[in-house]
Amino acid sequence: MERKSYPTDLSDMEWEILAPLIPPAKEGGHPPTTDMGEICNAIYFHLKTGCQWNMLPSDFPPRSTVYSYYRKWQGQGVREKFNHTLGGQVRSKLGKSTQPTALAADSQSVNTDQKKGMCMVLTDVKR
């Protein structure tokens, strides 16, 4: 039986871009039996809808499996790689450089020195 389609599902083109960014399974372990595309679809569904993990629709892989990959990939920075890669693709299609050239920060996101009222320099900004 085919799974219901959700608006958060990855397109074939998006999956083609993201698939190489998924870390390979550990050597010597049991080979994965779950479709990684379906894991990504379930994670995107969760992130977009804000549903609880136990509220994932039953036509996705088991929620414990999805959550396990989510936590593992979160620690490995996989989601950031996904966002960076897709963001670069969008910027490229718009005729822009894949890397932004400016950084904007509002007053609530910049630490200030209470005594002198001067902004502290942001040294860990990633580009």
Side-chain angles (χ1 to χ4, degrees), residues 25-31:
K26 290 182 182 178
E27 288 187 32
H30 184 65

Side-chain angles (χ1 to χ4, degrees), residues 49-91:
T49 64
C51 75
Q52 297 172 349
W53 288 107
N54 65 351
M55 303 284 287
L56 277 177
S58 61
D59 49 356
F60 282 124
R63 66 179 179 251
S64 59
T65 303
V66 175
Y67 181 72
S68 174
Y69 276 102
Y70 174 79
R71 291 298 304 221
K72 181 168 73 170
W73 291 350
Q74 186 178 34
Q76 296 173 340
V78 173
R79 195 172 76 187
E80 288 78 11
K81 284 189 235 176
F82 282 5
N83 289 337
H84 179 75
T85 301
L86 289 176
Q89 294 280 331
V90 168
R91 292 182 61 82

Side-chain angles (χ1 to χ4, degrees), residues 84 88 91 96-102 126-127:
H84 179 75
R91 292 182 61 82
K96 298 180 178 183
S97 167
T98 57
Q99 296 294 319
T101 57
K126 295 181 182 177
R127 295 181 190 209

Side-chain angles (χ1 to χ4, degrees), residues 1-21:
M1 184 174 164
E2 196 166 314
R3 180 178 71 74
K4 175 185 173 184
S5 176
Y6 295 98
T8 56
D9 285 353
L10 294 168
S11 68
D12 290 340
M13 187 183 306
E14 289 169 329
W15 176 241
E16 199 173 297
I17 294 167
L18 297 181
L21 302 176

